[in-house]
Amino acid sequence: MNIPMLDLKAEYALLRDEIEPAVIEALAACQYIGGPNVKAFEAEAATYAGVKHAISCASGTDALLIALRAIGLGPGDEVITTAFTFVATASTVVMCGAKPVFVDIDPRTFNLDLNQVEAAITPATRAIVPVHLFGQPVHLEPLKALCDKHGLKLIEDAAQSFGADYAGRKSGAYGDIGCTSFYPSKNLSAFGDGGLMITDDDKLAAELRVLASHGSRVRYHHHVLGYNSRLDEIQAVILRVKLKRLDHFNDRRRAIADSYNRELAGLVETPFADGHGRHVYHQYTILSDRRDAIQKVLTDARIACAVYYPVPLHKQEMFAATNGQVTLPVTERTAQRCLSLPISPMLREDQIRHIGGVIRQALG
Ligand SMILES: *Cc1c(COP(=O)(O)O)cnc(C)c1O
């Protein structure tokens, strides 16, 4: 049985009767930039997330970059974040001329170790960027308290957690700005690139819009160095269809994680939900000392699996000059032991049993 990491074809088959006519309508309307679907999607996303403002942009990377620029991040500043994440969490800090300061992770949640954050704060620290890795909400309350105490901004990297809940709020809505991505593999995904910034702050929202549109408040008058970062009309059409399904799809991911947990209990370390908020299982990630053996057996059985992330950011050549001296023992050990298994709302029970059987055999 050939099992992909994420079954986008099954999802397309489910949604095509709704997506195709809507896309064709938008093609014929010819308002490809700044069209009605972009505005409607922003309003629907803001309502969904329970925030005053949702500002779309071209990618999750741009969402982070623009959010960091909006809080005034620049040369000499520091941002505290995790090294166990996708590169964009920290590359965007460097793009602003600032320095990422990596703090180790909790070995069970894979998220920032909340006990180590305060010690990393210096007079240069401007913000904390927690990542809700694999869809598990970071326990933000203590981070918010630190931000308030030290005058820092809290920017959530919610690229993997859109739709997750924390403290009665949707992921991304708790901090000063929440950033998410609609890259095709994300929980809410477009048929290409896209991103979103959410906030309750009127002034920040205005700044985000200006930065995303060439630093311009009045057309052809440019106040600050900005970007051309837009969600296009066709992607907005697709996202509007899919946003209606997001909660259902995330429920399915949780049910699949439960099935995996039962199937794999005692064989490997299954994902740990710390009880703060509701996980949306962007990835279902196990830990094992025999990770490489499991990966080989799964690959031989034509079952996709992936190591997210094999090289933590402080070990990347890109950050060698600024962060090469750092050691993060938990992050480094996790990178050697983690393996993400196939997950998508469409994954079937018989497929989960098959994957469990192959892993049991590998370890048996
Ligand atoms: C995907 C992702 C991003 C970047 O999003 P893009 O839309 O691919 O630019 C940033 N941070 C994390 C944690 C991600 O998973």
Side-chain angles (χ1 to χ4, degrees), residues 29-177:
C30 299
Q31 285 184 271
Y32 304 127
I33 294 290
N37 281 287
V38 173
K39 289 185 189 71
F41 173 67
E42 287 184 344
E44 288 158 8
T47 302
Y48 175 83
V51 293
K52 278 170 82 177
H53 307 281
I55 297 108
S56 59
C57 62
S59 69
T61 304
D62 276 9
L64 288 163
L65 173 61
I66 293 166
L68 293 171
R69 285 284 317 280
I71 63 163
L73 196 74
D77 294 337
E78 293 178 358
V79 172
I80 293 172
T81 190
T82 166
F84 196 55
T85 178
F86 182 63
V87 65
T89 307
S91 62
T92 49
V93 172
V94 179
M95 287 175 202
C96 293
K99 182 188 168 190
V101 173
F102 298 122
V103 166
D104 212 349
I105 57 169
D106 178 292
R108 295 192 300 173
T109 64
F110 308 132
N111 284 332
L112 273 179
D113 182 346
L114 302 175
N115 298 317
Q116 296 192 39
V117 173
E118 189 161 24
I121 296 174
T122 74
T125 309
R126 295 293 310 277
I128 303 175
V129 180
V131 180
H132 308 289
L133 199 74
F134 305 147
Q136 164 130 285
V138 174
H139 186 25
L140 293 173
E141 216 181 281
L143 285 184
K144 179 82 174 88
L146 281 183
C147 286
D148 291 345
K149 181 174 161 193
H150 295 273
L152 314 176
K153 295 288 188 200
L154 185 60
I155 310 289
E156 292 178 62
D157 184 340
Q160 302 186 1
S161 63
F162 201 56
D165 302 279
Y166 176 79
R169 307 222 64 183
K170 283 290 174 193
S171 196
Y174 189 93
D176 294 290
I177 305 171

